[in-house]
Amino acid sequence: MSERVRLIVFGRQGAGKGTQCTRLAAHYGVPHISTGDMLRAAVRDGTAFGLKAKEYMDAGRLLPDDIMVGLVAERLAHHDAREGWLLDGFPRTTGQAEALVAVTGDESFSMAVNLDVPEEVVIERISSRRVCALDSSHIYSVSRPPKVPGVCDVCGGEVVQRADDTASAVRERLDLYQAETAPLIDWFESRGKLVTVDGNNDPDAVTAALVAAIDAHRAE
Ligand code: AMP
């Protein structure tokens, strides 16, 4: 089922994108390209770019579109993205979406999936979220901790609260989502590319609903 599926997955912070994108990428056999993870890796590496990115991320602000577009265009040019990809966390503005189409041309995205979870639910989820410091796709929560406290079950990394998961940064990020990213819903819809899936359910049920909705859209 891997034939050139090019998926965009978006939704509020805490909607479960990280978990679901990891599963979807495995299911469709495409690379999971998370701009948040790419930026966090740059921060960990301590590059000049990483230090700059950290300022924006800690403040819950978006990095400038031109920087993000350059980063993603470079990543999509890698060999492993030739047969398809899954973009998680990009585009986040209509400007980034326009640029993505300009960069990818005829090879543009297949569909954009809105993982829909109400704001009050994501606030609760984010404040209890914990992630592996080495790979933030290894996700835990206060009620679903790793087997050994503070140690990632998958890779042994330290399990921490993300710096941008504090209450004030979360509020800022949700406001920003409403202002900058929510307009993408109409943008995708008007191009016949929007697929909306209810993400307010247990993770396995959400994965099943995502695969069903994506396959139905592919069959259209
Ligand atoms: P995420 O893990 O997707 O929530 O991303 C964490 C942070 O990285 C965001 O709050 C932004 O500061 C930054 N970031 C990630 N993706 C983008 C993007 N497409 N455009 C601008 N900033 C981004």
Side-chain angles (χ1 to χ4, degrees):
M1 247 324 215
S2 68
E3 84 195 48
R4 305 198 68 72
V5 68
R6 295 176 302 276
L7 288 175
I8 290 169
V9 179
F10 72 106
R12 289 192 175 86
Q13 292 75 15
K17 285 193 304 294
T19 304
Q20 297 299 335
C21 287
T22 301
R23 294 178 178 189
L24 289 176
H27 180 83
Y28 291 106
V30 294
H32 173 192
I33 302 175
S34 157
T35 47
D37 283 349
M38 290 164 79
L39 296 173
R40 280 183 287 275
V43 172
R44 263 200 314 277
D45 291 347
T47 60
F49 171 65
L51 290 178
K52 195 77 213 152
K54 188 175 188 312
E55 286 175 23
Y56 286 92
M57 295 166 80
D58 285 353
R61 289 169 54 210
L62 294 181
L63 276 79
D65 281 357
D66 56 341
I67 293 179
M68 295 308 301
V69 170
L71 195 69
V72 170
E74 194 182 318
R75 178 64 187 85
L76 291 180
H78 286 201
H79 185 76
D80 68 343
R82 273 192 18 207
E83 295 302 323
W85 37 257
L86 184 157
L87 276 176
D88 165 9
F90 182 97
R92 252 199 177 67
T93 64
T94 49
Q96 292 180 6
E98 309 262 4
L100 176 68
V101 171
V103 167
T104 51
D106 290 343
E107 297 298 297
S108 190
F109 64 100
S110 320
M111 72 194 84
V113 181
N114 178 12
L115 188 56
D116 193 26
V117 177
E119 188 165 298
E120 58 281 11
V121 176
V122 301
I123 291 174
E124 170 63 30
R125 281 191 192 173
I126 295 178
S127 53
S128 70
R129 173 162 69 183
R130 300 293 181 270
V131 298
C132 172
L134 294 180
D135 183 341
S136 67
S137 69
H138 304 157
I139 299 166
Y140 303 91
S141 72
V142 171
S143 58
R144 206 165 32 81
K147 293 192 189 81
V148 177
V151 181
C152 179
D153 293 343
V154 184
C155 68
E158 190 187 358
V159 173
V160 297
Q161 182 170 38
R162 271 170 49 170
D164 56 355
D165 278 353
T166 59
S168 64
V170 166
R171 170 55 55 199
E172 183 132 357
R173 287 159 71 207
L174 286 171
D175 287 350
L176 200 66
Y177 178 85
Q178 215 47 46
E180 299 283 354
T181 308
L184 279 171
I185 294 173
D186 286 345
W187 194 93
F188 292 131
E189 172 96 83
S190 67
R191 286 158 179 80
K193 301 270 193 157
L194 182 69
V195 175
T196 300
V197 172
D198 181 2
N200 192 15
N201 210 332
D202 79 81
D204 291 346
V206 173
T207 307
L210 281 165
V211 169
I214 290 167
D215 289 347
H217 192 275
R218 292 177 84 193
E220 276 172 15

